[in-house]
Amino acid sequence: MSSSTSDKPPGLRTGTLGTADISFFVVSAAAPLTVMAGVAPIALVLGGIGAPAGYLLAGITLAIFAVGFTTMSRHVRSGGAFYAYIAQGLGKPLGIAAALVAMVGYNGMEIGVYGLLGSATSDTAGALWGTDLPWLPIALAGLLVIWYGGYRSIDFGAKVLGVLLVAETGILVLLAGGVLLEGGANGLSLASFAPGHVLVPGTAAVLAFAFSAFTGFESTVIYRREARDPARTIPRATYIAVGFLGLFYAFVVWTVIQAFGDDKVVAAAAGDTGGLFFAAITTYVGPWAADLMHVFIVTSIIASLLAFHNAINRYALALSEEGVLPADLGRIHPRHRSPYVAGLAQTVLGAGVVLGFAAAGADPYTQLLLWVNTPGMLGLMALMLLAALAVVRYFRRVPHREGALRTLVAPATAAVLLAVAIWLVASKVALFTGASPTVNAVLVAVVPAVLVLGLLLAYRLRRTRPEVYAHFAEEPPTEPHGGPSGAANPHASPDPQTAPHAEGADPSCPQPPTSSSSTPASVPPNRAATPLSPSATD
């Protein structure tokens, strides 16, 4: 028995991440300081002083989405997150297409940011030391740093992100505190939240920017296998992430408005978009704080890159275990328990894209960042829309004890709001990219094209590899570290026989799963699996 156990390949480090750890990952992915200092001034120029309300509205929309999303997380326990939810709710073809969109989306959100890392670090060196650094060596060095962070254990990454996130949010809190203590330029005002300033044509553009500022919060479920008590940890981390981001963004933008005054902030933002936050913190805190903000913008970008890198690695791991991607991508490091081969592959892909843009003479910000990031953002928003629809359909088919608010009202409302958000972003895409109409059309078309390609891949997989197709996104037999004493979910159906059978399987003759993702690392092959809890069988 001991030899068979020792011969078993290592798995992810289960039961490691608590609510705070997962929150650090997903909030870091959003890069709050970079979003505020780099993007919020543009939102002010376009939407006026009502911009803070746009961030609140986006946060409310995503909080509504999180209701159905987290409810689904108690019933669908696969490590594939978005694609597993969509496969369970809308069918395997769309699930496989969603997996492809997820890989393109998350890679797009990460790889483009290496251009931002290069340009922001170069700008910081110029501002602090008068040094002109080329962006490409910085981006390549960043690739190595992020690879190492993903190569190490997940708890190492959580500690690093915790420190970096405290630094970047702390400098924004320092700015806000300085403004509030001095009462702003003309006294504190709540005019930003008055209907006359919110219900203006520019709010549509603000909403487009606001939704993009939350990208990454949904990745909480990717860490399910490494979470402690995931049935509680995942929903808590999701609500904390979206709630914190929505309130924090709105508060920080409002305080910057107070720093310049309602009547002058838009002109100040238009005159010096990139320097608005630095001017505010210099005035209300001191030049040393502006220097610190320059440094923390770079660390904020590094934190975002590491968070997305870890999410991508776990998606690649799940898909390799499904048999869709090569099995070697699913190899786990024996000591660090990280998907290190997937991390290496992602780093090589990132290096190839970065070097390709550099060879073409592309600008690291206006082209590498914006052209690669924009399809990634649209892809993740499309996945959220599909996931919301999947929640509705899944709970229409499966016996459960969840309320209609969680399984119908919230996800259906979220689907409508997300569809509007996607339309806003797509229609305002020129504001994000500054590119020609032809380039913008191509960038917007990437996600639909990948979806179609994914559907074709699904049908080919069903024809050529039916065993892989039949067990795609299948539920694992146990919940690793699922809670104290394997406690059942009180909201779930008590009858294990009510679970729907996998698409393509014969209900009268269930087959054992063939993918290794269906056998969590915590259950050795020579040990009987723990009986399914009711939540697992929904």
Side-chain angles (χ1 to χ4, degrees):
M1 178 174 178
S2 60
S3 69
S4 65
T5 302
S6 63
D7 291 341
K8 182 181 182 295
L12 293 174
R13 198 184 298 275
T14 57
T16 299
L17 302 178
T19 300
D21 298 319
I22 298 174
S23 299
F24 287 150
F25 273 104
V26 298
V27 175
S28 295
L33 176 56
T34 304
V35 165
M36 289 289 93
V39 180
I42 302 173
L44 283 168
V45 172
L46 297 172
I49 66 170
Y55 288 95
L56 282 180
L57 291 172
I60 290 169
T61 297
L62 296 176
I64 294 171
F65 164 77
V67 172
F69 186 63
T70 56
T71 302
M72 191 83 157
S73 73
R74 294 202 294 264
H75 295 260
V76 178
R77 299 172 296 113
S78 167
F82 269 141
Y83 79 70
Y85 292 9
I86 293 166
Q88 292 277 354
L90 301 178
K92 293 185 191 296
L94 263 179
I96 293 170
L100 194 59
V101 172
M103 291 301 294
V104 171
Y106 279 106
N107 274 288
M109 288 303 299
E110 193 213 19
I111 294 172
V113 177
Y114 284 109
L116 178 60
L117 176 65
S119 61
T121 305
S122 181
D123 290 345
T124 296
L128 299 184
W129 305 295
T131 305
D132 185 17
L133 297 178
W135 73 270
L136 181 59
I138 298 169
L140 295 176
L143 279 157
L144 292 176
V145 170
I146 299 307
W147 164 79
Y148 179 73
Y151 171 79
R152 291 291 301 271
S153 62
I154 191 69
D155 48 336
F156 171 83
K159 290 182 177 69
V160 170
L161 290 178
V163 172
L164 297 182
L165 182 61
V166 168
E168 66 175 302
T169 55
I171 197 70
L172 289 171
V173 170
L174 188 63
L175 165 61
V179 173
L180 294 179
L181 285 175
E182 293 200 23
N186 305 310
L188 302 180
S189 164
L190 295 177
S192 291
F193 304 99
H197 291 125
V198 175
L199 303 176
V200 296
T203 300
V206 173
L207 284 170
F209 280 99
F211 277 107
S212 69
F214 288 81
T215 307
F217 92 92
E218 75 294 331
S219 60
T220 50
V221 292
I222 296 173
Y223 301 101
R224 181 181 191 93
R225 288 162 63 177
E226 294 156 291
R228 294 193 296 268
D229 192 8
R232 294 180 176 87
T233 303
I234 298 300
R236 286 174 183 169
T238 305
Y239 285 120
I240 288 172
V242 71
F244 170 78
L245 289 172
L247 294 172
F248 190 66
Y249 286 153
F251 171 68
V252 171
V253 176
W254 175 76
T255 57
V256 168
I257 293 171
Q258 306 315 300
F260 292 90
D262 292 343
D263 56 339
K264 295 180 180 178
V265 67
V266 174
D272 187 10
T273 303
L276 186 73
F277 273 67
F278 297 101
I281 202 168
T282 298
T283 300
Y284 288 91
V285 182
W288 63 270
D291 291 344
L292 207 56
M293 182 176 280
H294 274 292
V295 174
F296 287 164
I297 281 181
V298 174
T299 61
S300 168
I301 296 167
I302 292 172
S304 177
L305 285 165
L306 180 56
F308 274 113
H309 180 71
N310 277 292
I312 294 163
N313 294 350
R314 279 145 186 81
Y315 252 108
L317 170 66
L319 287 169
S320 70
E321 291 174 336
E322 298 277 10
V324 176
L325 291 180
D328 282 345
L329 290 176
R331 291 169 61 185
I332 305 295
H333 193 278
R335 178 183 174 189
H336 300 305
R337 308 288 285 276
S338 61
Y340 72 106
V341 176
L344 180 60
Q346 201 280 329
T347 301
V348 170
L349 174 64
V353 174
V354 169
L355 289 170
F357 271 79
D363 183 85
Y365 183 88
T366 60
Q367 293 174 311
L368 175 54
L369 171 67
L370 299 180
W371 290 12
V372 177
N373 226 219
T374 299
M377 174 183 63
L378 286 167
L380 296 189
M381 293 181 74
L383 288 174
M384 283 192 274
L385 171 59
L386 290 173
L389 295 172
V391 172
V392 174
R393 188 165 185 267
Y394 176 82
F395 286 109
R396 295 309 92 194
R397 298 187 299 110
V398 177
H400 60 88
R401 293 182 179 178
E402 307 284 0
L405 177 64
R406 289 179 171 274
T407 61
L408 177 60
V409 177
T413 303
V416 173
L417 294 174
L418 284 165
V420 173
I422 291 171
W423 175 79
L424 282 173
V425 172
S427 63
K428 305 290 182 182
V429 71
L431 298 176
F432 290 90
T433 66
S436 68
T438 301
V439 171
N440 289 331
V442 171
L443 295 178
V444 171
V446 167
V447 174
V450 172
L451 263 177
V452 171
L453 184 62
L455 289 172
L456 294 175
L457 172 65
Y459 295 129
R460 183 176 185 276
L461 200 64
R462 185 169 63 182
R463 187 178 69 254
T464 61
R465 302 174 66 193
E467 72 289 349
V468 171
Y469 181 86
H471 297 294
F472 181 80
E474 200 166 56
E475 283 293 274
T478 63
E479 175 74 278
H481 298 269
S485 305
N489 177 1
H491 299 285
S493 168
D495 182 9
Q497 301 305 317
T498 60
H501 294 279
E503 183 181 340
D506 180 0
S508 64
C509 184
Q511 298 295 321
T514 58
S515 67
S516 59
S517 64
S518 300
T519 307
S522 58
V523 183
N526 57 343
R527 185 185 304 170
T530 304
L532 290 173
S533 68
S535 63
T537 60
D538 276 355

